[in-house]
Amino acid sequence: MRISFIGSGRVATHLAKVLSKQHQIVQIYSRNIAHAEKLAQLVNAEAIVNDQKLVADIDLLIIAVSDQSISQVIQAVGRYLENVLIVHTSGSTNLDVLTQYHAKSGVFYPLQTFSVEHEIAWGNTPLFVEAAFTDDQDILTQLANSLSNRVYQYSSEQRLSLHLAAVFACNFSNYCYDMAKQVVDSKQVDFSLLYPLILETANKVTQNDPRAMQTGPAIRGDLNILNMHEKMLEADEREDLKKIYHMLSQGIQTGQH
Amino acid sequence: MRISFIGSGRVATHLAKVLSKQHQIVQIYSRNIAHAEKLAQLVNAEAIVNDQKLVADIDLLIIAVSDQSISQVIQAVGRYLENVLIVHTSGSTNLDVLTQYHAKSGVFYPLQTFSVEHEIAWGNTPLFVEAAFTDDQDILTQLANSLSNRVYQYSSEQRLSLHLAAVFACNFSNYCYDMAKQVVDSKQVDFSLLYPLILETANKVTQNDPRAMQTGPAIRGDLNILNMHEKMLEADEREDLKKIYHMLSQGIQTGQH
């Protein structure tokens, strides 16, 4: 397939890199020429900063920009790429944000966290595809199958709920690591001591219901420890962490299903 | 070494099991005879429910009970086990909770999360030892070295800060998984789709500062998505999750170091 990208951020970079192994990446558009050129060089494509220079003889255009820019992008490029299948890569953006301006639209959503420094294990990354037309859905499914053995045809609504869950499972758990690091950093204790605990906690949850795996003072109802921990955060003038500690402990104790 | 246990919960069970490979477990005391017998059978020890039946010809007594019971336990058994080294296994309990009733005291704290179903990788579990007397500290260090290659001599204060950090890194991240599961469960979407994301998030943080690895709508300042997610939780009548979503997103956006 001949594939072009709008965007040169983390999702575009990781996706272009892996797709370039089996497909031809034709153009990389970014408003920032340095970013466009950096990624274009990596995947042997042409860098462009003018979206009217996007060529139409491609099979797929992947829009990998921030969620709030998708609508603006499709309005700008959809009209002169009428016969090109155009997809976005967003978990929380409905397909109709594209279809209202461009009929031949779809979604190609990788449920993964993309950081600059870290390689993605594409083989087991769940990919969610959706398209306005059945034959496009087939094309996207085939493309997804070439990257991962976990490909799903999901509606925008299902994808939305997955993305919300991903914020809890990924963004918020990472923030918990961040807060843990702040706690030990302030006492000159090495954060890496917590690595085995972090990995064990994550591994366990792939084998058991997290509710059943919950440990710690909150689920034990150990009020002495809960109070002591809150006092420690108070003494360190970390009212922000104290509030979060209190709210999450309460959630653990009263958690509904 | 000849070792007895007070307690038959998760920490006692995992610790007695691994120690029984190299040492003799003599007695298991628990108020609940069924629990005592279950563990005693596993490690070929005697089960007792009367703490006055604890024999004194042992090298180590490990108190692995809830934090708030440690003081009561040492008051009950310390006096007639005067020459026995007695340790607790708690991250958040000061050594002096033991020493005020029993001179020959110490701490043997494994920084790990113990669940019933899940085997512990002892070899890289950090173990923290502390003792009132130098020779006892040496004995505990040697014992810890026989289990793990990550043994540290930490003060009660350092241990306390580690334990508080562990609540954030382990208990709270697990609760984030739990909340994620609640979100997808309510839409009949399979929680296991999130496993690669959970594992990738945990793995990344062992190689990079979690702050640098933070992804998601909050760190991007994507107010559209943040508002949409909160409205979704509101529509599902999950005010509890909405509050937590809001507070953690704010923390990510304004997080201090």
Side-chain angles (χ1 to χ4, degrees):
Chain A
M1 286 176 76
R2 288 169 53 81
I3 304 171
S4 290
F5 277 83
I6 294 187
S8 56
R10 288 178 297 194
V11 175
T13 300
H14 282 286
L15 208 46
K17 270 169 66 180
V18 69
L19 287 173
S20 71
K21 293 177 189 169
Q22 298 181 59
H23 304 278
Q24 187 187 347
I25 311 302
V26 181
Q27 291 179 313
I28 305 286
Y29 164 82
S30 169
R31 276 169 305 184
N32 180 317
I33 182 67
H35 292 175
E37 279 176 351
K38 190 179 167 199
L39 177 53
Q41 219 161 22
L42 217 58
V43 297
N44 200 21
E46 180 192 7
I48 55 172
V49 284
N50 178 349
D51 59 20
Q52 294 183 30
K53 294 216 167 145
L54 281 164
V55 296
D57 61 332
I58 54 174
D59 304 298
L60 178 64
L61 177 68
I62 297 179
I63 301 176
V65 298
S66 68
D67 289 9
Q68 67 258 49
S69 307
I70 294 173
S71 177
Q72 195 188 323
V73 166
I74 191 69
Q75 288 176 63
V77 307
R79 68 192 107 163
Y80 54 91
L81 295 173
E82 205 181 336
N83 297 317
V84 173
L85 172 57
I86 303 182
V87 299
H88 71 64
T89 59
S90 160
S92 284
T93 304
N94 205 295
L95 173 60
D96 61 22
V97 171
L98 298 182
T99 51
Q100 65 183 294
Y101 300 104
H102 183 81
K104 215 170 147 54
S105 290
V107 179
F108 194 90
Y109 171 54
L111 182 61
Q112 189 50 280
T113 171
F114 296 92
S115 300
V116 181
E117 297 84 353
H118 212 255
E119 288 297 315
I120 299 298
W122 283 102
N124 64 359
T125 292
L127 297 176
F128 300 88
V129 299
E130 184 184 5
F133 299 113
T134 314
D135 52 341
D136 290 336
Q137 174 114 346
D138 292 343
I139 289 170
L140 293 176
T141 302
Q142 214 180 323
L143 182 69
N145 280 330
S146 77
L147 296 189
S148 168
N149 45 42
R150 301 182 71 179
V151 176
Y152 305 89
Q153 301 186 344
Y154 260 38
S155 70
S156 288
E157 204 199 338
Q158 291 172 302
R159 210 173 50 241
L160 198 59
S161 135
L162 254 179
H163 185 234
L164 173 57
V167 170
F168 280 95
C170 164
N171 305 150
F172 289 168
S173 65
N174 186 74
Y175 183 51
C176 291
Y177 306 152
D178 182 20
M179 292 186 286
K181 185 165 188 296
Q182 293 176 46
V183 167
V184 288
D185 279 359
S186 71
K187 305 291 178 195
Q188 285 80 48
V189 168
D190 189 359
F191 179 60
S192 74
L193 290 168
L194 294 162
Y195 292 170
L197 190 65
I198 286 171
L199 294 173
E200 168 77 359
T201 304
N203 279 319
K204 275 201 305 196
V205 90
T206 67
Q207 292 161 38
N208 305 277
D209 186 329
R211 175 59 54 98
M213 292 295 102
Q214 188 67 54
T215 57
I219 195 78
R220 286 199 310 270
D222 190 335
L223 296 180
N224 291 333
I225 300 288
L226 292 172
N227 287 334
M228 184 176 64
H229 282 168
E230 289 189 26
K231 277 190 188 128
M232 285 168 66
L233 293 168
E234 207 174 284
D236 288 346
E237 293 179 6
R238 291 306 303 261
E239 283 296 328
D240 56 336
L241 296 190
K242 186 188 156 195
K243 270 188 200 155
I244 290 173
Y245 185 98
H246 190 79
M247 180 170 263
L248 293 179
S249 295
Q250 270 197 323
I252 290 171
Q253 291 180 282
T254 63
Q256 324 163 221
H257 259 294
Chain B
M1 284 176 76
R2 288 169 53 82
I3 304 171
S4 289
F5 277 83
I6 293 187
S8 57
R10 289 177 296 195
V11 175
T13 299
H14 282 286
L15 208 46
K17 271 170 65 180
V18 68
L19 288 173
S20 72
K21 292 177 188 167
Q22 298 180 58
H23 304 277
Q24 188 188 346
I25 311 302
V26 182
Q27 292 179 314
I28 305 285
Y29 164 82
S30 170
R31 276 169 305 186
N32 180 317
I33 183 66
H35 292 175
E37 278 175 351
K38 191 179 167 199
L39 177 54
Q41 220 161 23
L42 217 57
V43 298
N44 199 23
E46 180 193 6
I48 56 172
V49 284
N50 179 347
D51 58 20
Q52 294 183 27
K53 293 215 166 143
L54 282 164
V55 296
D57 61 333
I58 55 175
D59 304 298
L60 179 64
L61 176 68
I62 297 178
I63 300 177
V65 299
S66 68
D67 289 9
Q68 66 258 51
S69 308
I70 293 173
S71 177
Q72 194 189 323
V73 165
I74 191 68
Q75 288 178 62
V77 307
R79 66 191 109 165
Y80 54 90
L81 295 173
E82 206 181 333
N83 297 317
V84 173
L85 171 57
I86 303 182
V87 299
H88 72 64
T89 59
S90 160
S92 285
T93 304
N94 205 295
L95 173 60
D96 61 22
V97 171
L98 297 182
T99 51
Q100 64 182 295
Y101 299 106
H102 183 81
K104 219 174 142 53
S105 289
V107 178
F108 194 91
Y109 171 54
L111 182 63
Q112 190 48 282
T113 171
F114 296 92
S115 301
V116 181
E117 297 85 353
H118 212 255
E119 288 297 314
I120 299 297
W122 283 102
N124 64 359
T125 293
L127 297 176
F128 300 87
V129 299
E130 185 184 6
F133 300 113
T134 315
D135 53 340
D136 290 336
Q137 174 114 345
D138 292 343
I139 289 170
L140 293 177
T141 302
Q142 214 179 325
L143 182 70
N145 280 329
S146 77
L147 296 188
S148 168
N149 44 42
R150 301 182 73 180
V151 176
Y152 305 88
Q153 302 186 343
Y154 260 39
S155 69
S156 288
E157 204 199 337
Q158 290 172 304
R159 210 173 49 241
L160 199 60
S161 136
L162 256 179
H163 185 234
L164 173 57
V167 170
F168 281 95
C170 163
N171 305 151
F172 290 168
S173 65
N174 186 73
Y175 183 52
C176 290
Y177 306 151
D178 183 20
M179 291 186 287
K181 185 166 189 295
Q182 293 177 44
V183 168
V184 288
D185 279 358
S186 72
K187 305 292 180 197
Q188 285 80 48
V189 167
D190 189 358
F191 178 60
S192 74
L193 291 168
L194 295 163
Y195 291 171
L197 190 64
I198 287 171
L199 294 174
E200 168 76 0
T201 305
N203 278 320
K204 274 201 307 198
V205 90
T206 67
Q207 292 161 36
N208 305 278
D209 186 329
R211 174 59 54 99
M213 293 295 103
Q214 188 67 55
T215 57
I219 196 77
R220 286 199 310 270
D222 189 334
L223 295 180
N224 291 334
I225 301 287
L226 292 172
N227 287 334
M228 184 177 64
H229 282 168
E230 288 189 26
K231 276 188 190 130
M232 284 169 67
L233 292 168
E234 205 174 285
D236 287 346
E237 294 178 7
R238 293 304 304 261
E239 285 296 329
D240 55 337
L241 296 189
K242 186 189 157 194
K243 270 188 201 156
I244 289 172
Y245 185 99
H246 190 78
M247 180 170 264
L248 293 179
S249 295
Q250 271 198 323
I252 290 171
Q253 291 180 283
T254 63
Q256 325 164 220
H257 258 294

